[in-house]
Amino acid sequence: MSFAVPPMGIVGLPVAGTDERFPVRRVYCVGRNYAAHAREMGFDPEREPPFFFCKPNDDASIVPVPAGSTATLPYPPLTRNYHYEAELVVAIGQGGRDIAAADAAAHIYGYACGLDMTRRDLQIAAREQGRPWEVGKAFDFSAPVGPITRRAQAPGVHCASIALDVDGTVRQQATIAHLIWSVDEVIANLSTLFTLQPGDLIFTGTPEGVGAVTPGQTLTLRIDGLAPLAVRIA
């Protein structure tokens, strides 16, 4: 087949303990899935149905970060309020539609640490005008992701601690058990809207404590049982 322009390559995330790569197909994100974060953003954390947005799946937006490495994220243009959001990322290994929550675990390949980097001022301006969030969420280098740990090797992830520090000071800290909608429930809900496929990633939401970062700062995200993720803002 002849293409008019070079086709986009597939982004591969490292798989912990192997030489394999996990191919990224789509990137889904859950909004406001921790009650305390919903409150800090000015919303009622009542358990309403989950809502979703997407990030690009290209190598401009997804930043694979190998174990032991610190990735460099350039400070993005047109923002003065560049925020981190620490998240558990779920990698889908088996596709499906209308998946029951009780069956969701069988569709998971593994888990990783991820950052939903956000141009908060652009996101809020778009929200207030009733416009989509893409300018605040779907820009270049907006989704660094660490190595994926396979599901069988992370049996305690659903109650694991999640913590993010900036230059050694803890800014976000919670447990995955504090999710309003659990991982299994998120998969069940998302699969009613889209047919999930192997290669899909789901950013499951961020705890309270989101905030701005500036060039020169280093962010480190740790989730018990998973490879940590480190990035530096340039």
Side-chain angles (χ1 to χ4, degrees), residues 52-131:
F52 304 94
F53 58 94
C54 293
K55 285 180 178 279
N57 67 340
D58 57 47
D59 59 6
S61 297
I62 304 297
V63 183
V65 184
S69 299
T70 299
T72 298
L73 303 183
Y75 196 94
L78 301 178
T79 182
R80 295 183 178 179
N81 200 17
Y82 180 42
H83 277 212
Y84 54 81
E85 295 191 8
E87 310 208 6
L88 171 69
V89 177
V90 176
I92 297 297
Q94 178 181 321
R97 184 171 177 83
D98 296 322
I99 299 166
D103 300 327
H107 294 260
I108 297 172
Y109 176 82
Y111 308 93
C113 292
L115 290 170
D116 170 16
M117 301 303 293
T118 302
R119 295 192 285 200
R120 188 72 71 200
D121 44 0
L122 301 188
Q123 181 201 19
I124 291 174
R127 188 182 72 199
E128 290 177 347
Q129 297 174 65
R131 295 177 178 175

Side-chain angles (χ1 to χ4, degrees), residues 47 147 155 160 201:
R47 199 171 189 258
L201 299 180

Side-chain angles (χ1 to χ4, degrees), residues 95-176:
R97 184 171 177 83
D98 296 322
I99 299 166
D103 300 327
H107 294 260
I108 297 172
Y109 176 82
Y111 308 93
C113 292
L115 290 170
D116 170 16
M117 301 303 293
T118 302
R119 295 192 285 200
R120 188 72 71 200
D121 44 0
L122 301 188
Q123 181 201 19
I124 291 174
R127 188 182 72 199
E128 290 177 347
Q129 297 174 65
R131 295 177 178 175
W133 288 3
E134 273 82 356
V135 294
K137 290 287 192 179
F139 52 94
D140 291 352
F141 303 98
S142 63
V145 182
I148 294 174
T149 298
R150 286 169 289 186
R151 178 169 60 95
Q153 298 172 338
V157 74
H158 294 279
C159 57
S161 68
I162 175 172
L164 179 133
D165 67 60
V166 179
D167 290 340
T169 300
V170 176
R171 298 290 184 83
Q172 290 186 276
Q173 193 165 29
T175 71
I176 303 302

